[in-house]
Amino acid sequence: MKRDEYMDGAGLVQERSNVLASNKLQNDHDRNRRIAWWREARFGLFVHWGPYSMLGGKWNGQRVDANYAEHIQLRGKIPVAEYAEAAAGMNPEAFDAHEWVALAKRSGAKYMIVTAKHHDGFAMYDSKVSEYSITRHAHFPRDPIKELAEVCEAQGIRLGIYYSHAMDWHHPDSQGNTLDYPDNIGAWDLLEEWIDDDDKRERFERYLHEKALPQVEELLTDYGPIGLMWFDCGHKISDEHAVWFHDRVRRLQPDCLINKRLRDDRFADYGNPHDNQLRFHPVQSDWESIHTLNDSWGFRYDDANWKSPDELIEQLLRVAAANGNLVLNIGPLGSGAIDGTSRRLLETVGSFLERNGEAIYGTSGSPIGKPQWGYCTWKPDEKLLYLLVREWPQDGLLVLPGIASGVQYARPIGTRAKEDNLPIRQLGTWDWQIDVRSVPQDAYATVIKLKLDGALETNLTPRFISQMANTFWAYDGVIEGDGLRYDNGKRGHDGVTSWTTSSAAVQWTFRSEEETPILCRVMVTYSAGADQAGGRFELSLNERKLAYTVCDTGGDGCWREFEMGQLAILSAGVHRLEVRGLSLVSDSLMNLRKVTLLPVKRSEDS
């Protein structure tokens, strides 16, 4: 497991003790009331800001090799005294809480999560517990968290607090800093490697009681209502430790939400998968996807790998359609200023939400899965279905799959009059066709709003649409075979990996309503290294098959699309698509990202 991936802990499975007498979350009858605002919000803003922001990924004029700039003390092997000396110079004169919150509002965010203490142990607020803070150590005369709390409350933005409870590289008894404190728990040490070491456990618990728990108590006592406590690296503490934090939050602010990374799902109101995960299997019914605008969370001078507005907005749609919240992160400069690119990206997202927020805020996930043309969200109480159309139908006739319910109307979002209703007709039992030729297209996603008539009746088997490319993502397929697994879902890794058994396979099921055969070009997207070149696999559509030889694409994560040949969907009905290995020339076959069936013409043969 990569080191930065280990830090988020989302892919780790921990042994669970019986320290909890019962499942606290399931027995908490107030949870639905507590989390109602968060389910309505759907979009938030993260802020990573601390002494690392002044350094910007550089130490002594040299770039430190770390994906995340906030890890510079650890990855740059900076002695604690030298890092503390640099932190003492933090003087964020450009920090303006009103400006930060105004940007959050322009972006469409309904909540803001701010780092009160990251792994470096430096408190970005006026902590009475530790002198290592922006007000006492750096002598900054203002309390940034206090100012943000006041402005957020005045502007109707929920304030969330990020607090690194498991790691503190400044404290001599915590985890992570073995450069200055060689006997400490290491940054990448697993829980089971030290929990039975009496000295390490006792010293770590001294840190918890001396600093972490009292600081959490400060934040929940002195800063008004806190919408959520966002903990991190909870896989590095025990169940017993987690209870200490959980019970403090519940005692001091019963309505404050707790994220999964306190420890695991049992202690949480909602879940968190991996950071920057493009594709996912949600960890629980309420979950949150967090993403940087570029690569790092904290500000880094040379990080120009910005995501495009289209990528950010698609991620918002993808997450909402899967019943989750999206949180986008900014990393202000050490001065407290926010760079222009971050502003422009967030304002573009905000402009989209200003036009289409009705289809995001307060919605539930798609009741019909993911259509080929985009995404869906749903407001069950109002019987409103929102079609978030990313791929426009070439003939202007949009097929809505998987709905047997009646439809009162379909119209572009933002319109109200009956004359704005679009022509619509039912196609068989499960599908509808909407004439969208008169609808202006949005640059990112065009939203059609449907009012259903009667109870929701759905068919979740994806439908093949003969007027467009049909994509089958490996992350949505069913995997078969030892070793084969879904990758972490991040950029370059949003497919299946560890194809170590030649006969392993990825399978999809879909339906077609076409009575006559449809011939399709078959495209496959995978990545492979030079050592994997020469491996063989086959793609089958029902009983017809195409075989292919793996080529070198440049290595892991370097996706390339190849055309395998042509296959026909011969008739209406349910069909099976499969990619199965045939032979390996190294320890694995390839990483598979997707298969695309691209209709070319109606086949005359059978």
Side-chain angles (χ1 to χ4, degrees), residues 153-179:
E153 186 169 17
Q155 294 297 318
I157 297 287
R158 299 267 184 166
L159 178 65
I161 296 293
Y162 172 103
Y163 187 87
S164 175
H165 63 315
M167 279 205 290
D168 189 310
W169 301 330
H170 185 77
H171 197 284
D173 293 320
S174 185
Q175 301 193 37
N177 185 355
T178 54
L179 177 68

Side-chain angles (χ1 to χ4, degrees), residues 235-436:
H235 56 289
K236 294 179 66 61
I237 67 171
S238 71
D239 284 356
E240 183 180 13
H241 301 149
V243 169
W244 298 346
F245 287 97
H246 178 278
D247 288 355
R248 256 182 178 75
V249 176
R250 288 287 174 261
R251 173 172 56 82
L252 294 169
Q253 290 207 29
D255 290 338
C256 181
L257 301 178
I258 299 172
N259 73 319
K260 176 185 177 179
R261 295 189 194 178
L262 170 61
R263 169 70 175 135
D264 57 37
D265 290 342
R266 294 165 301 157
F267 300 91
D269 290 293
Y270 67 86
N272 305 106
H274 286 298
D275 301 345
N276 283 309
Q277 193 170 13
L278 294 175
R279 301 195 179 274
F280 30 73
H281 297 287
V283 291
Q284 58 194 72
S285 58
D286 294 300
W287 68 286
E288 181 184 72
S289 184
I290 60 171
H291 289 257
T292 55
L293 296 182
N294 42 13
D295 285 336
S296 182
W297 297 87
F299 171 74
R300 194 174 73 200
Y301 285 108
D302 61 353
D303 188 359
N305 191 23
W306 298 99
K307 298 175 177 70
S308 69
D310 188 70
E311 288 176 296
L312 296 174
I313 290 170
E314 179 166 27
Q315 190 65 17
L316 174 65
L317 306 184
R318 184 183 291 130
V319 170
N323 201 49
N325 284 17
L326 177 68
V327 176
L328 295 180
N329 175 78
I330 57 172
L333 282 68
S335 67
I338 298 171
D339 67 275
T341 303
S342 293
R343 290 176 181 276
R344 288 190 292 273
L345 288 172
L346 290 176
E347 286 166 354
T348 301
V349 174
S351 177
F352 176 84
L353 282 168
E354 187 175 4
R355 299 190 301 272
N356 301 294
E358 178 188 345
I360 303 296
Y361 302 126
T363 60
S364 299
S366 171
I368 59 170
K370 184 189 178 302
Q372 290 293 342
W373 38 257
Y375 304 93
C376 289
T377 56
W378 168 238
K379 289 183 178 176
D381 292 344
E382 302 174 53
K383 296 183 180 177
L384 290 174
L385 188 68
Y386 296 92
L387 316 184
L388 310 163
V389 184
R390 293 267 300 165
E391 302 294 334
W392 202 250
Q394 292 183 0
D395 59 3
L397 301 176
L398 185 71
V399 175
L400 169 62
I403 293 284
S405 317
V407 178
Q408 288 188 24
Y409 63 77
R411 62 176 67 133
I413 195 170
T415 58
R416 297 175 178 270
K418 287 186 177 180
E419 51 266 30
D420 295 314
N421 291 354
L422 300 171
I424 184 168
R425 68 185 183 93
Q426 193 161 15
L427 303 175
T429 303
W430 292 109
D431 308 307
W432 294 81
Q433 184 187 80
I434 308 167
D435 188 335
V436 295

Side-chain angles (χ1 to χ4, degrees), residues 16 54 95 105 142 176 192 281 314 324 338 369 400 485 493 559 566 582 595:
R16 298 182 174 185
M54 296 189 303
F95 168 69
K105 289 183 73 74
R142 295 154 51 198
E192 55 268 25
H281 297 287
E314 179 166 27
I338 298 171
L400 169 62
R485 62 178 177 84
H493 299 276
W559 303 116
Q566 296 185 348
L582 294 175
V595 172

Side-chain angles (χ1 to χ4, degrees), residues 456-475:
L456 178 68
E457 297 181 67
T458 62
N459 182 345
L460 290 174
T461 304
R463 171 174 169 159
F464 177 87
I465 300 176
S466 61
Q467 288 76 35
M468 66 192 314
N470 291 253
T471 301
F472 299 87
W473 295 92
Y475 230 88

